[in-house]
Amino acid sequence: MRTRIIMSSTVALAALLISSAAFAQRGRHGRGMGLGPRIAAQLDLSEDQRASIRQIRAEARSDLAPAREDLQEMRGQLRALWQADQPDAQAILAQQARMDALRSVVRDRMAEVRASISQILSPAQRQELSERRASRSGRGHGHHGRRGRGGGMGRMAQQLDLGADQQAQIQALRSQAREATSEARGELRQTRQALRAQRASGQTDEALQARADAARQVIREQRVHTRIAILGLLSDEQRTQLGELTAQRHTRRGQRHGRSAGPAR
């Protein structure tokens, strides 16, 4: 039983410290840039439609290139804030807010892309696309991102060689954080589900998006403070090693997304 608690603590530490940046960066790699090749084939697009969609996507990529470059630079600045000897929660949250503002620009441009592509489709194609997106949005989101956390991340956390006291304190901090964000997490789940359904039908509710953003901010602030508290429990050697593991993870993530970013079809 004690072994399971220790393993749970180390896996939790890795999930929080090594991958917490993913929470703030979801959706940044261009989701929503029109139609993928599989859906395009299923909709039986004409060559003229395909050409028009390629043009819309190319223009959007060009428009958003500066914003994405800025986001990449800002992510590096955020990592530097986390790597400070004494991380400043307010500075970190302010940097995340600046990144959110830029992501909002990207999100709005993506909405324009979807609207433009929708105008190119026939009524029957729009209906089929809406049904397919609705079906896809209902699959697998309840456990998104949870698979495999007991594998590579757990091994990375064990490399920090946490003591029993560290593990117990980390477990207590995480329990407190879960309790503090319980209501916000429930709100975020509900609003995300509603937003996915709206986007599948080509709609956007700004009030609903604002509710999701507010809930996300509550969770983010708690995570920042919890992460800083956990960092305070680590030795200098453990923090250095954690920084190296985090850098390696970001490098691998960037390489994966770099390979997946294919041309418009």
Side-chain angles (χ1 to χ4, degrees):
M1 178 66 178
R2 179 170 177 78
T3 300
R4 281 200 295 270
I5 292 175
I6 292 175
M7 284 296 294
S8 174
S9 179
T10 55
V11 170
L13 173 68
L16 179 64
L17 295 185
I18 298 176
S19 67
S20 62
F23 178 82
Q25 298 174 7
R26 282 178 186 147
R28 70 180 183 267
H29 294 289
R31 287 184 179 181
M33 185 72 85
L35 307 176
R38 181 182 301 177
I39 294 181
Q42 292 169 342
L43 294 180
D44 192 24
L45 299 176
S46 69
E47 189 53 44
D48 286 345
Q49 286 177 314
R50 291 174 183 270
S52 295
I53 291 172
R54 282 196 294 269
Q55 180 65 26
I56 291 170
R57 295 176 69 186
E59 290 175 357
R61 276 197 300 274
S62 177
D63 291 345
L64 292 175
R68 296 192 180 200
E69 291 176 2
D70 288 345
L71 277 172
Q72 181 67 23
E73 181 178 354
M74 294 168 79
R75 282 192 287 272
Q77 295 168 349
L78 181 60
R79 286 194 293 273
L81 289 172
W82 275 115
Q83 292 166 1
D85 290 339
Q86 298 291 332
D88 184 333
Q90 294 308 311
I92 289 169
L93 289 169
Q95 179 71 356
Q96 290 176 336
R98 287 189 287 270
M99 295 171 71
D100 278 349
L102 198 51
R103 290 193 194 100
S104 179
V105 172
V106 175
R107 185 172 62 205
D108 290 346
R109 186 67 178 90
M110 291 300 92
E112 293 176 3
V113 168
R114 289 191 294 270
S116 296
I117 290 177
S118 179
Q119 294 301 312
I120 293 172
L121 304 180
S122 69
Q125 289 172 325
R126 282 196 292 271
Q127 178 64 26
E128 184 173 358
L129 177 61
S130 176
E131 292 173 356
R132 290 185 180 279
R133 283 177 171 168
S135 174
R136 184 175 58 183
S137 69
R139 294 198 302 266
H141 290 285
H143 301 282
H144 179 70
R146 295 184 185 176
R147 293 186 296 272
R149 282 192 174 179
M153 293 184 188
R155 286 192 295 273
M156 281 188 266
Q158 292 175 50
Q159 291 176 24
L160 300 180
D161 192 24
L162 297 175
D165 288 345
Q166 288 176 311
Q167 294 164 9
Q169 291 177 74
I170 288 168
Q171 191 173 19
L173 286 169
R174 292 189 70 250
S175 295
Q176 294 167 10
R178 280 196 300 270
E179 182 176 354
T181 59
S182 176
E183 183 176 345
R185 285 184 285 113
E187 169 78 352
L188 185 57
R189 281 193 296 270
Q190 293 177 3
T191 52
R192 277 180 173 171
Q193 184 176 6
L195 284 167
R196 282 195 295 267
Q198 287 185 350
R199 288 167 184 160
S201 61
Q203 300 175 353
T204 301
D205 186 332
E206 292 185 3
L208 193 61
Q209 183 65 57
R211 284 175 53 194
D213 291 342
R216 186 179 292 109
Q217 183 63 19
V218 170
I219 299 169
R220 169 182 291 164
E221 290 181 5
Q222 182 62 53
R223 287 189 174 184
V224 167
H225 289 291
T226 300
R227 183 178 179 184
I228 289 175
I230 290 176
L231 286 172
L233 300 174
L234 303 182
S235 68
D236 290 343
E237 182 180 355
Q238 287 171 327
R239 290 181 63 166
T240 297
Q241 190 169 14
L242 177 63
E244 294 171 353
L245 294 171
T246 303
Q248 293 170 9
R249 183 171 179 80
H250 280 295
T251 298
R252 289 195 298 270
R253 182 180 295 153
Q255 291 172 343
R256 286 198 301 272
H257 287 296
R259 286 194 300 268
S260 65
R265 298 180 186 276

